[in-house]
Structure formats: C-alpha cells, structure tokens
Amino acid sequence: MNPRPLRIGITCYPSVGGSGILASELGAELARRGHEVHFISYERPFRLPTGPRVFFHPVQVNGYGLFKYPDYTLPLSVKMAEVSRDHSLDVLHVHYAVPHATAALLACSMMPLGRKPKVVTTLHGTDTTLLGRDPGYGPAIRHALECSDAITTVSAFLRDETLRLLSVIRPIEVIHNFFKPGRPRRSRLAVRRELGLGRAAMVLHASNLRPGKRIDLLLAAAARIRPRQVFKLVILAGDSFAPFAADVRRLGLTGRVVVREKVTDIEEYLQAADVGLFASDSESFCLSILEAMCFGCPSVSTAVGGIPEVVVSGESGLLVPPDDADALARGVESLLQDPVRRNELGQAARRRARELFSADVIVPRYEALYRRVCELPAPSGRKRGSAGRKGRLG
Ligand code: GMT
C-alpha cells in the first residue's frame, strides 16, 4: 500500500540566493511527487513555478511607528501556525535558520498538542558560518537547532562547522543540494549572439555578488587571462553590478565583461557556457557550480568550504587555493587552450551532478526524513529512513 502524501510547509528567503532557489526547487519537486506544499514567506520565491499542489501564503509585515526595526519573526510565526492549522501540516521545513527556525518553533508552541507539525531546519551557510559566530544570534540559533525535530546541512563542511561553532549535540544529516535543469527556450547560438560573443569562449560567473563572492578577485583573475581576445566573462548577477563597473574599466576589461542582472531563464546561459569561474572566499556548497556542471560546463574555483564536495579537482573541474587571482587565471587558460580536456572535465561534471546531486537522488532523502520525523511508514520497497540512494559523500 502506498503511504499518504505529506503536507509540507516551506519557509525560505524568496529573494535571489541559493537557499531560496533550493527551497523552491524542492517544493516544486515534492508537489510533482504528489505532496501538498505550502510556501510561507514575505514574497513569492522568485523561481517558484506555479502548478498543482503548490500554494503561497504571504506574510504581512507592518511597520508600527513604535518599532525602530520592523519585526518579521512574529508575523511569520503567526502565519506558520495559521497555515499549519488550516492545512494540517505534517512538517514545517525551514531553509536558513534565522529567523525561520525560531519562528517555526514559536508557531508550534501556539498549536494544540497533537496538531503540532514537525520542524525540519536546513542550514545553508552564513546562518552558521557568520551568524553562528555572532553573540547576538548564536545562542538563539543553537536553541532553535536543539529544538528542531531534524537538522540538515547542505554539505559535510557545513555540518562540521555547525558542530564546531554552535556545539550542537543533536545529529545533523548532510543532504547535498540538487539541481534539475529546465529546457532552454532559445538555442545556444541565439544566446551567444545576444551576448555578442563572436568567436570568443564564454567564461561564466553567476552569483548574488555579495562580498564573499570576491568579485574583486574574479575581475582581477579575468584581467590576467591571456590572450584576452579568446574569451568574454559573462556575469549573471543576482544584484546590481553597478558598484563593480569602475573595476571593470580600471582593469581594462571593458568589452570583455558582459553582465545580465536578475536572470530567471538561467538554463539558456548555462547551455552556452564553456568554463565557470568562481572566486568565493567561503561557500557551503555553491549551487552555481552545480548548475554549470549539469550543462557539462566545468568550473575553475577556489577550493573553499563545501566546494571540494561538489567538484573533484582535475576530474570534474579545477580547484585552486583561495585568494589567488593568478591560479584562477591559469586554470581558465588551461581549459580554454585544451578543448578536449575541457570537454572531458565537462562530461565528468555532468555525470557527477547526475549521480550525486540530481532531484532523483536528493528529493527522496528529504521525503524519507519527513516520514521519519513524522513516524509515518516509508513507501513499500524501501526501508524506513533509508529511502533514496545515499550519495557517496552523504
Ligand atoms: O548562506 C548564505 O550566504 C546565503 C545562501 C543563499 O541564500 O544564497 O547561500 C548559501 O546557500 C547556498 C544554497 O545552499 C549555497 O550554495 C551557498 O554556498 C551558501 N553560501 C555560503 O555558504 C556563503
């Protein structure tokens, strides 16, 4: 007998950012698998598709005159409790601990006994590595984690950092991120034409441009790639690129850097990319590298945080030490000069993405986790708590 579908509440940051993208994709995949998914946030997540069994519940934030800072946590918790009650949610799955995990616990304490949903908290990165160190946040994050019914992290690196920085004594399950590429609507040629690439190779960077992405280092590396005329750096920016325009001019990169801001049809650009370039100084996973891998595009990246779990250097991409513009530039040059090797790394990257970080591998792990915390039977043919393949790295 097939077990009943689940009713899952998901809260994430709806703005451009890996945690919101992952949460949206997960919600869409869960709905496709027959579950009912309720997104609760201040805005509809930007990559959340419309479709059956996907609902969005906006949280209204009021700026009362008395408040110097508007409060989001309380109205979020009230909305979480309301949706949990009205839709008999089994699980509240919060992405990024602050303030979502605290709001979920508060919501549960507003619910009558026997009707409280289980709380699953997924840590994505700076909720541990930055806020976890902050004495104004750390104790509240630790408390929320200790009180969650399950904790997951998107990499083993982030699990270890969470144990180290927050001294959490609960088990933490590593469930890596996944990406399910959509079908590009335009051809590779049409996109290359739009970008004005001519015969140049396309070096791709996609990020929200936050300080940790080290756009300064990225541009410095691009300025050292020789010969210059063989490539263009295409930056898919989740935020305004204007603050970096002067650096582009100063480094003599005008005409070599093409920027597209707030792109939603990312697949169109990914299919056209030859090499990814990432200069981050901290990254729990780096979803953008995985997105490129799915299109057979190998990346040159700094070997920081969880990135070595995503890319095996020399096999499915190239990793170089952090803060080293020369090493990044040499890495890109080596792949531009050797299309055969570039293609081999790209194919290996695509295989690795499919085998370890695809929706078919990762989503069943979340389903199994939900059923486990809810003490519901697993689908027949699978052992309880072990649904889905455990990734080699899991
Ligand atoms: O933690 C953050 O800085 C925000 C977050 C986001 O929403 O973009 O990024 C993190 O989560 C992504 C999805 O799991 C990961 O791919 C990013 O590596 C991670 N960022 C950091 O760890 C700095």
Side-chain angles (χ1 to χ4, degrees), residues 136-165:
Y137 283 90
I141 298 171
R142 182 173 189 278
H143 175 75
L145 295 177
E146 292 293 356
C147 296
S148 297
D149 295 285
I151 311 166
T152 77
T153 56
V154 299
S155 61
F157 157 80
L158 189 58
R159 175 198 56 203
D160 296 347
E161 282 298 275
T162 305
L163 294 171
R164 188 175 73 81
L165 290 167

Side-chain angles (χ1 to χ4, degrees), residues 51-375:
R53 295 180 293 280
V54 178
F55 304 91
F56 171 60
H57 306 269
V59 177
Q60 212 65 49
V61 181
N62 292 315
Y64 290 114
L66 181 64
F67 294 170
K68 183 167 176 194
Y69 305 105
D71 170 59
Y72 177 53
T73 312
L74 291 185
L76 174 61
S77 67
V78 168
K79 184 57 83 178
M80 283 171 155
E82 184 186 306
V83 176
S84 300
R85 191 187 52 238
D86 293 352
H87 299 276
S88 305
L89 294 188
D90 297 299
V91 174
L92 277 172
H93 185 177
V94 296
H95 292 261
Y96 205 88
V98 181
H100 305 146
T102 305
L105 295 176
L106 190 53
C108 287
S109 59
M110 288 183 232
M111 299 284 296
L113 264 180
R115 301 210 45 202
K116 296 178 196 287
K118 302 293 179 187
V119 175
V120 174
T121 299
T122 291
L123 295 162
H124 278 271
T126 48
D127 37 3
T128 284
T129 55
L130 191 70
L131 298 175
R133 293 173 202 267
D134 184 330
Y137 283 90
I141 298 171
R142 182 173 189 278
H143 175 75
L145 295 177
E146 292 293 356
C147 296
S148 297
D149 295 285
I151 311 166
T152 77
T153 56
V154 299
S155 61
F157 157 80
L158 189 58
R159 175 198 56 203
D160 296 347
E161 282 298 275
T162 305
L163 294 171
R164 188 175 73 81
L165 290 167
L166 289 160
S167 319
V168 174
I169 42 179
R170 304 276 317 287
I172 297 179
E173 184 165 346
V174 177
I175 304 184
H176 287 110
N177 286 332
F178 69 93
F179 181 63
K180 185 171 178 177
R183 197 188 295 269
R185 276 175 302 171
R186 287 185 296 163
S187 71
R188 179 182 158 93
L189 202 67
V191 176
R192 287 184 56 87
R193 214 175 281 136
E194 177 226 299
L195 294 167
L197 295 180
R199 295 167 71 87
M202 174 172 162
V203 178
L204 176 85
H205 175 83
S207 79
N208 50 29
L209 311 182
R210 291 201 192 116
K213 304 295 176 187
R214 294 295 309 274
I215 302 303
D216 60 327
L217 186 68
L218 178 90
L219 295 174
R224 289 168 200 224
I225 297 172
R226 296 287 181 275
R228 277 205 172 170
Q229 60 277 18
V230 297
F231 81 97
K232 284 200 181 188
L233 173 63
V234 175
I235 299 182
L236 304 183
D239 210 338
S240 165
F241 189 74
F244 305 100
D247 286 347
V248 170
R249 284 194 295 275
R250 181 178 52 79
L251 291 162
L253 287 170
T254 308
R256 259 326 96 213
V257 175
V258 182
V259 178
R260 293 288 181 271
E261 289 174 0
K262 301 197 176 137
V263 166
T264 45
D265 42 2
I266 188 158
E267 283 87 355
E268 301 199 350
Y269 296 95
L270 292 170
Q271 62 160 343
D274 295 297
V275 177
L277 181 58
F278 298 90
S280 300
D281 60 15
S282 166
E283 220 40 272
S284 67
F285 186 93
C286 198
L287 201 52
S288 299
I289 293 183
L290 174 60
E291 290 174 339
M293 288 166 74
C294 291
F295 283 85
C297 170
S299 289
V300 179
S301 168
T302 43
V304 294
I307 291 178
E309 294 170 54
V310 183
V311 174
V312 178
S313 190
E315 280 182 27
S316 44
L318 296 179
L319 301 184
V320 303
D323 207 17
D324 188 337
D326 255 329
L328 287 167
R330 298 294 85 77
V332 174
E333 277 172 10
S334 73
L335 295 186
L336 294 184
Q337 284 159 9
D338 189 345
V340 174
R341 180 152 185 256
R342 188 169 83 218
N343 186 50
E344 277 169 8
L345 292 185
Q347 292 316 313
R350 195 200 295 262
R351 273 197 306 278
R352 185 171 172 81
R354 203 170 35 229
E355 283 167 15
L356 294 180
F357 311 119
S358 64
D360 286 347
V361 171
I362 299 300
V363 178
R365 296 202 50 207
Y366 280 115
E367 289 178 286
L369 174 65
Y370 299 152
R371 291 197 187 281
R372 201 166 68 230
V373 292
C374 294
E375 298 181 29

